[in-house]
């Protein structure tokens, strides 16, 4: 994970958890790799990379918050794995507008010029967060994604599915890949 201080807004990578390595071998034509960049085994920082062929889809891009006051305002996922594959990132798909799903977008989009799909409410919240980080509206490609419609992101076909949650327009995602359909529930415990 990376941290962002209130004073500098510079991301500083934390050491990778012991024993976790992501294989870097090229994928075969019918292979898919899931890379949790945050949110797995922790609360917050929801961010999943799905790799297929020469494309990567990012699902959610959330922030985490420290439990104590140590001078750090926001934690965000470590994007170094993505940075090493920057030319392969096809886009970001948001499931809903909670901060632990959208809060790290300014840090990701500082390094990647990719489209972001999501429910209208989530995009409205994300655009405010991006404006706080000095992104002008014309600098970011935000695309509304409505439940029941399908969207092509690189080789992936994504269909948002309406779910009940504590925020409006929350969705799960049905993501068609070469290996079959991945259902990402948006939030789970």
């Amino acid at each position: 994970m990376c941290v962002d201080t209130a004073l500098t807004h510079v991301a500083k990578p934390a050491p990778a958890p012991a024993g976790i390595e992501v294989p870097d071998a090229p994928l075969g034509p019918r292979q898919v790799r899931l890379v949790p960049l945050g949110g797995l085994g922790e609360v917050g920082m929801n961010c999943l990379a799905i790799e297929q062929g020469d494309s990567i889809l990012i699902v959610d891009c959330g922030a985490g918050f420290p439990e104590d006051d140590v001078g750090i305002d926001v934690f965000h996922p470590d994007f170094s794995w993505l940075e090493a594959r920057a030319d392969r990132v096809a886009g970001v798909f948001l499931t809903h507008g909670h901060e632990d799903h959208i809060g790290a977008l300014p840090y990701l989009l500082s390094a990647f010029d990719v489209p972001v799909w999501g429910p209208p409410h989530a995009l409205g919240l994300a655009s405010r967060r991006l404006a706080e980080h000095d992104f002008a509206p014309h600098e970011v490609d935000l695309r509304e994604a409505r439940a029941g419609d399908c969207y092509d992101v690189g080789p992936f076909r994504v269909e948002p599915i309406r779910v009940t949650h504590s925020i409006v327009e929350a969705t799960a995602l049905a993501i068609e890949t070469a290996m079959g359909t991945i259902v990402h529930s948006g939030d789970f415990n």
Side-chain angles (χ1 to χ4, degrees), residues 85-101:
R85 297 151 184 82
D87 60 326
R88 294 164 44 192
V89 177
V92 179
F93 221 107
L94 303 175
T95 60
H96 64 282
H98 278 152
E99 197 66 17
D100 62 330
H101 292 259

Side-chain angles (χ1 to χ4, degrees), residues 1 3-4 43 63-76:
M1 87 180 91
V3 295
D4 178 33
V43 175
F65 305 96
E67 293 182 20
D68 53 15
D69 185 12
V70 294
I72 298 169
D73 288 333
V74 174
F75 291 97
H76 66 77

Side-chain angles (χ1 to χ4, degrees), residues 43-126:
V43 175
M45 291 197 307
N46 295 290
C47 190
L48 174 68
I50 305 172
E51 182 181 19
Q52 174 180 298
D54 62 354
S55 290
I56 298 169
L57 169 65
I58 302 168
V59 176
D60 289 331
C61 190
F65 305 96
E67 293 182 20
D68 53 15
D69 185 12
V70 294
I72 298 169
D73 288 333
V74 174
F75 291 97
H76 66 77
D78 180 354
F79 299 127
S80 59
W81 187 84
L82 291 171
E83 289 166 354
R85 297 151 184 82
D87 60 326
R88 294 164 44 192
V89 177
V92 179
F93 221 107
L94 303 175
T95 60
H96 64 282
H98 278 152
E99 197 66 17
D100 62 330
H101 292 259
I102 67 165
L105 271 175
Y107 308 102
L108 180 78
L109 295 179
S110 291
F112 297 91
D113 183 18
V114 296
V116 179
W117 286 263
H121 184 256
L123 293 181
L125 295 171

Side-chain angles (χ1 to χ4, degrees), residues 129-145:
R129 179 67 61 232
L130 291 163
E132 290 173 2
H133 289 263
D134 299 322
F135 281 86
H138 68 277
E139 294 178 306
V140 185
D141 184 1
L142 300 178
R143 302 178 184 188
E144 287 190 2

